[in-house]
Amino acid sequence: MKRNPLTLVIGLVLILIFGLLLFTFQVRTTEVAVVTTFGKPTRPITEPNLYFKWPWPIQKVWSFDRRVQNFEDRLTEGLTRDNFNLLTSVYVGWKVSDPTAFFPRFADSANPIAAAETLLDQWLGNAKTAVVGKHPLADFVSTSDDGASFVAIETEILEAIRSQLHTNNLGLEIAFLGLKRLQLPESVTQSVFERMTSERKVLADRFQYEGEAEAQRIRSDAERKAAEALADAEGQATEIKGKGEAEAAKSLKVFQQSPELASFIFRLSALEDSLKERSVLIFDQHTPPFDLFRGVSTNLLKK
Amino acid sequence: MDAGSQALAEALRSSFVIVKVVMVLLVLLFLASGFFTVGPQERAIILRFGKAQGEGEKALLGPGLHWSFPYPIDESIKVSISGLQHVSSTVGWYAVTPEQMLAGIEPPAGTTLNPIVDGYVLTADANIIHTRATLTYRIQDPIQYVFGFVTASNAVQSALDNGLLYAASRFKVDDVLTRDIAGFQEAVRRRTTQLLENQHLGLVVEQCVVQSVPPRQLKDAFANVLKAEVMRSKLLNEARTYENQVTNKASADAESLVNLAQSDRARLVSDTSAQAERFQEVLPQYRRHPALFGEQRLTETLGRVLTNVQDKIFLAESAAGKPKELRLLLNREVPKPKTEEAQP
């Protein structure tokens, strides 16, 4: 039977595939891996690619998720420096950074990530208690700073957990950490509510009082301003009239040429002005031109 | 070779042909399985032996038909990008079941808040309030978003939780609830955006909506303050209206007072100067015949005046030469008309 070249090629390809399956492994971009030789970690791999290895049972590959894990720890109670009970919980972004260090600690457990988080939870609890105890409540909530102390608290917890991880060398790395909850013990909330209620009461009363007082002030201010404006105007008016009189007085020297004529003319015009409206006049016979009735003038005519 | 082995060889050959055809078909099928399409809202990344091909924008394959080697050589991963993602934070909200949420009912308020189930935040003046937020964002760097985090949306939510907590701890209760709602929302957005940037999540924040309410337990107390505030501004508005009226009226009155004085002044001055002028004119005539001039002016004036006088009463002298007695009954109720007696 003659050898068919195609059969040969297919055979070679099959051998190649089998060989690749035995001697190579892939590390995905989301993973880190460690190669163990007879159970001892010998080669950490942190870059994604295709790698060679000796087939099992000589070498074995352990790969772990290298992506950032999001973990939220338990709510724990701590005493602030000024003796307030405060419940805190933080969120942590962490990842496996060194598979060689991570492997011996957690490879045995069914879920290495969960096992690592259990450990983190304990250490975070300790770190929080220590940091909370160093700060007064005003560092957590206050209007007086721009959030620097809040950030400082987070940084201190982060530093504490990082140094803990460093000394234990678990192959973990904390990417970020932040406070997630900040609460009070349940029994305390009631007294906070009581305090808030009385604060509200004070505020409502103040608004009412302020409103009334302010409105009263505005009204009386307005009245005062109005009175001032009127008084001012009256002053101006008097001044204007005074000037007018002074101006008019300049004409006096014209009248000085003949005071008796001036007085006569003034009396005439006063008489005329006073009789402008509806009036009743009663005369006797001596008033000219009614003296005509007495016959003085008729005598003149008869003659 | 006998006929039997001939037939066997024939059968073997033909079955080899079938096997070959099947092999070739399988290889073709294997290669064809590398085709994939990318939708308009998606991008795809090809991993060759687990490693992303290309960097940054170049690694992303746009919409259309693409081909890569099938697994295990290449692996194509699709990522949704342009769709807006939403994340809500309820770390500061009281416990509410999904049914209650849908129906919009508040659960009954107890006297305390249990920290395990009821969320709330502490304000700068150590008040308890409820606040929740929804963040809308767009994925900008899918490689970072998908390959950097196990569940990136959880990381976003944590950042939003922290944003609320942080912003609340710097704002007073009244600012959060009434006076500076927008400022509080902006503070939450700023803090969250900053955290997300620091954490290199590869996304862009589009919108952040924050809702805050006082604790259910203190609803009435807070409502009363609002009522008092409304009442206060109503009182103030009324007072300001009154102020406007009073001051406007006063300034109008003042103006008319001044105007009146000015016109009085003008009239006085012009009257006097007119009189002086007339005086100048008649003075020479008077100097010539003082008595005659007087008589003439008096008579003329009386004549003019008397035409205006409504009632004229003439008293004749009695025979004895004494004036007659006259009794007048003045009606006080009509004040305007004047009664005057002119005596020469």
Side-chain angles (χ1 to χ4, degrees):
Chain A
M1 204 173 139
K2 69 173 192 252
R3 291 278 173 199
N4 190 324
L6 187 68
T7 321
L8 208 68
V9 169
I10 288 172
L12 279 175
V13 166
L14 285 176
I15 289 169
L16 188 71
I17 290 174
F18 188 67
L20 284 177
L21 282 179
L22 270 180
F23 287 93
T24 66
F25 65 96
Q26 284 187 18
V27 175
R28 290 183 81 217
T29 188
T30 56
E31 291 170 332
V32 285
V34 61
V35 178
T36 56
T37 312
F38 298 118
K40 275 179 75 179
T42 46
R43 188 156 59 114
I45 295 165
T46 52
E47 284 301 308
N49 212 337
L50 186 71
Y51 296 95
F52 286 97
K53 68 170 172 70
W54 294 108
W56 184 84
I58 304 166
Q59 287 196 323
K60 199 174 174 219
V61 181
W62 304 80
S63 50
F64 307 102
D65 202 328
R66 74 174 317 176
R67 293 176 296 172
V68 174
Q69 306 277 345
N70 209 71
F71 171 64
E72 185 191 344
D73 82 334
R74 275 174 304 125
L75 209 54
T76 57
E77 191 166 335
L79 215 55
T80 62
R81 203 176 70 200
D82 44 358
N83 288 324
F84 284 100
N85 270 312
L86 207 58
L87 299 170
T88 51
S89 116
V90 294
Y91 65 91
V92 169
W94 69 273
K95 60 182 181 183
V96 181
S97 57
D98 181 0
T100 329
F102 187 79
F103 163 79
R105 229 19 225 269
F106 300 107
D108 295 340
S109 58
N111 186 346
I113 300 294
E117 285 181 345
T118 313
L119 204 58
L120 266 182
D121 191 49
Q122 281 174 24
W123 289 349
L124 279 171
N126 296 340
K128 283 189 302 182
T129 314
V131 173
V132 168
K134 276 195 280 180
H135 291 270
L137 185 65
D139 280 359
F140 291 87
V141 291
S142 118
T143 45
S144 56
D145 68 11
D146 53 356
S149 48
F150 188 95
V151 174
I153 290 165
E154 290 181 338
T155 314
E156 281 171 34
I157 300 175
L158 182 59
E159 293 304 325
I161 194 79
R162 269 188 183 151
S163 78
Q164 180 82 290
L165 285 173
H166 186 74
T167 39
N168 286 277
N169 190 24
L170 291 181
L172 303 185
E173 186 183 296
I174 305 283
F176 49 83
L177 178 149
L179 283 168
K180 193 179 179 89
R181 306 178 85 177
L182 204 56
Q183 298 185 318
L184 303 168
E186 186 167 0
S187 56
V188 177
T189 56
Q190 191 170 0
S191 53
V192 171
F193 283 159
E194 278 158 17
R195 175 171 55 79
M196 284 171 77
T197 310
S198 64
E199 276 175 13
R200 292 293 110 188
K201 181 94 178 54
V202 167
L203 211 56
D205 288 352
R206 207 183 72 204
F207 277 138
Q208 192 186 351
Y209 167 75
E210 263 182 12
E212 281 162 8
E214 180 73 8
Q216 188 55 44
R217 197 186 59 73
I218 291 173
R219 278 167 198 271
S220 57
D221 249 25
E223 276 157 13
R224 183 180 53 75
K225 271 189 219 153
E228 275 173 14
L230 276 179
D232 195 39
E234 268 163 23
Q236 275 184 44
T238 315
E239 198 185 315
I240 289 167
K241 279 187 192 160
K243 276 186 190 157
E245 277 157 15
E247 241 171 282
K250 282 181 195 157
S251 311
L252 273 182
K253 67 174 185 298
V254 176
F255 299 117
Q256 274 167 11
Q257 297 173 66
S258 173
E260 68 279 7
L261 174 61
S263 145
F264 177 63
I265 289 175
F266 291 158
R267 274 183 293 145
L268 276 184
S269 79
L271 177 70
E272 196 169 346
D273 284 349
S274 64
L275 291 179
K276 256 179 196 161
E277 305 208 12
R278 281 177 38 159
S279 43
V280 179
L281 267 181
I282 301 162
F283 302 98
D284 64 8
Q285 290 171 328
H286 300 286
T287 316
F290 302 104
D291 51 355
L292 288 174
F293 290 121
R294 273 199 307 177
V296 177
S297 312
T298 37
N299 292 350
L300 190 77
L301 279 174
K302 263 181 183 173
K303 206 171 77 175
Chain B
M1 220 179 256
D2 58 1
S5 52
Q6 184 97 21
L8 184 67
E10 199 67 31
L12 270 176
R13 189 168 303 123
S14 60
S15 59
F16 264 130
V17 170
I18 292 170
V19 168
K20 271 185 246 170
V21 169
V22 168
M23 291 289 260
V24 170
L25 274 179
L26 278 176
V27 169
L28 285 179
L29 213 70
F30 173 70
L31 293 180
S33 74
F35 283 104
F36 61 96
T37 53
V38 177
Q41 304 279 305
E42 292 177 327
R43 294 291 181 273
I45 301 162
I46 291 175
L47 300 181
R48 179 158 297 163
F49 300 123
K51 193 176 176 180
Q53 295 298 290
E55 277 190 11
E57 284 292 308
K58 281 182 196 154
L60 302 177
L61 299 175
L65 188 67
H66 297 278
W67 182 83
S68 67
F69 282 106
Y71 190 80
I73 303 166
D74 282 358
E75 194 183 340
S76 64
I77 291 172
K78 292 183 204 170
V79 193
S80 151
I81 53 149
S82 40
L84 291 175
Q85 318 273 319
H86 303 279
V87 154
S88 293
S89 162
T90 51
V91 77
W93 207 255
Y94 46 81
V96 73
T97 63
E99 294 83 41
Q100 286 168 330
M101 183 100 89
L102 275 178
I105 317 170
E106 276 181 5
T111 50
T112 58
L113 287 173
N114 177 356
I116 305 298
V117 293
D118 287 311
Y120 55 84
V121 293
L122 296 176
T123 62
D125 43 3
N127 277 220
I128 287 171
I129 59 161
H130 297 294
T131 177
R132 61 179 168 190
T134 304
L135 190 79
T136 309
Y137 63 94
R138 211 159 29 78
I139 299 168
Q140 194 182 38
D141 181 358
I143 299 178
Q144 184 61 21
Y145 188 82
V146 176
F147 296 143
F149 295 84
V150 177
T151 39
S153 62
N154 278 358
V156 178
Q157 195 193 334
S158 294
L160 185 59
D161 291 342
N162 186 275
L164 277 177
L165 204 65
Y166 173 84
S169 76
R170 306 295 129 185
F171 274 69
K172 286 188 176 171
V173 61
D174 291 305
D175 293 337
V176 176
L177 293 177
T178 49
R179 276 188 219 142
D180 195 11
I181 298 173
F184 179 65
Q185 182 163 304
E186 176 55 26
V188 174
R189 199 191 62 79
R190 205 177 322 124
R191 167 76 174 176
T192 309
T193 309
Q194 191 202 336
L195 286 176
L196 293 176
E197 266 167 26
N198 293 348
Q199 295 169 9
H200 305 294
L201 274 154
L203 49 83
V204 180
V205 172
E206 291 281 331
Q207 202 189 14
C208 175
V209 182
V210 179
Q211 186 196 1
S212 315
V213 293
R216 291 159 292 160
Q217 290 81 354
L218 303 183
K219 222 178 206 176
D220 289 346
F222 275 83
N224 284 341
V225 173
L226 268 188
K227 233 186 280 170
E229 215 171 348
V230 170
M231 197 62 212
R232 168 167 165 261
S233 53
K234 187 171 158 249
L235 276 178
L236 289 187
N237 278 340
E238 280 172 2
R240 293 217 174 86
T241 312
Y242 175 79
E243 182 188 28
N244 275 341
Q245 282 172 354
V246 168
T247 48
N248 283 346
K249 186 173 179 305
S251 66
D253 285 356
E255 207 173 321
S256 74
L257 256 178
V258 172
N259 284 342
L260 195 70
Q262 254 154 1
S263 70
D264 276 359
R265 169 191 172 174
R267 205 177 60 232
L268 181 68
V269 169
S270 74
D271 277 6
T272 337
S273 70
Q275 268 180 346
E277 221 169 287
R278 222 174 77 217
F279 181 82
Q280 235 13 328
E281 278 169 23
V282 298
L283 188 61
Q285 299 174 26
Y286 169 74
R287 289 241 164 97
R288 253 176 276 147
H289 298 289
L292 189 58
F293 179 82
E295 182 89 358
Q296 183 217 346
R297 291 304 311 274
L298 179 64
T299 318
E300 181 203 339
T301 307
L302 276 177
R304 202 168 52 238
V305 164
L306 289 175
T307 51
N308 286 336
V309 171
Q310 209 178 16
D311 301 311
K312 301 178 248 298
I313 298 162
F314 176 73
L315 284 182
E317 209 171 47
S318 66
K322 284 180 188 165
K324 280 182 181 166
E325 197 180 43
L326 180 71
R327 292 194 178 174
L328 285 180
L329 181 67
L330 293 176
N331 192 353
R332 292 257 175 218
E333 271 165 41
V334 188
K336 252 201 164 176
K338 278 184 270 184
T339 309
E340 205 167 311
E341 205 163 345
Q343 293 286 342

